């Protein structure tokens, strides 16, 4: 069993495969490199690991100097930040239709989907969605999801 943190590349692959409306799907390093709304290659999505929190689990017994067998459930929170651009009107009303299409595609790909290859993985659930930034033609929106997986030490 692995003790590695949750890998968002599986989420990215799922969005690339299922959300064909997106021109680009990348990770947190690429997201952090963006400096302004005009820098986004919209419509696009960035998958960011927001939090990983362990549920306490009593460890097994081991001799001093040895490692106890432990399997721990990790609750994972990640965000899918999308940027959508539309210049058809100067008040931004047209961007709502484009945002709706992108959110329908990304949410449809992730809600209820179980990330593969992870012990104890659970179906992704949408927790909330919020507007992050906006100008006359570009909107930045973040959907926050939750799933879980299990990790363990070298002996599990």
């Amino acid at each position: 069993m692995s003790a590695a943190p949750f890998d968002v590349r599986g989420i990215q692959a799922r969005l690339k495969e299922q959300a064909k409306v997106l021109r680009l799907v990348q990770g947190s390093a690429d997201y952090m490199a963006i400096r302004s709304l005009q820098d986004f290659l919209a419509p696009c999505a960035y998958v960011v690991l927001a939090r990983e929190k362990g549920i306490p689990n009593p460890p097994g017994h081991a001799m001093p100097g040895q490692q106890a067998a432990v399997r721990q459930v990790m609750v994972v929170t990640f965000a899918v930040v999308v940027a959508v651009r539309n210049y058809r009107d100067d008040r931004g009303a047209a961007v709502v239709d484009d945002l709706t299409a992108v959110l329908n595609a990304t949410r449809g790909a992730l809600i209820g989907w179980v990330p593969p290859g992870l012990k104890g993985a659970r179906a992704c659930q949408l927790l909330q969605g919020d507007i992050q930034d906006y100008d006359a033609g570009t909107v930045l929106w973040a959907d926050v999801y939750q799933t879980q997986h299990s990790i363990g030490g070298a002996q599990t």
Side-chain angles (χ1 to χ4, degrees), residues 41-142:
L41 185 61
C44 58
Y46 296 84
V47 182
V48 179
L49 180 61
R51 182 179 191 190
E52 199 173 30
K53 183 177 182 182
I55 296 174
N57 182 26
H61 297 284
M63 298 298 295
Q66 294 183 351
Q67 188 171 4
V70 175
R71 185 170 141 177
Q72 186 171 4
V73 173
M74 302 298 289
V75 177
V76 176
T77 305
F78 65 92
V80 176
V81 181
V82 298
V84 177
R85 181 172 296 121
N86 190 312
Y87 294 119
R88 289 192 308 260
D89 72 49
D90 60 354
R91 292 181 305 198
V95 79
V96 172
D97 292 337
D98 295 338
L99 177 61
T100 299
V102 168
L103 292 178
N104 184 50
T106 56
R107 289 174 175 185
L110 296 178
I111 294 172
W113 177 70
V114 179
L118 299 171
K119 296 275 188 190
R122 296 283 185 252
C124 295
Q125 298 179 56
L126 178 65
L127 298 180
Q128 70 184 53
D130 298 293
I131 194 164
Q132 302 298 302
D133 203 356
Y134 173 76
D135 67 12
T138 305
V139 64
L140 192 64
W141 180 276

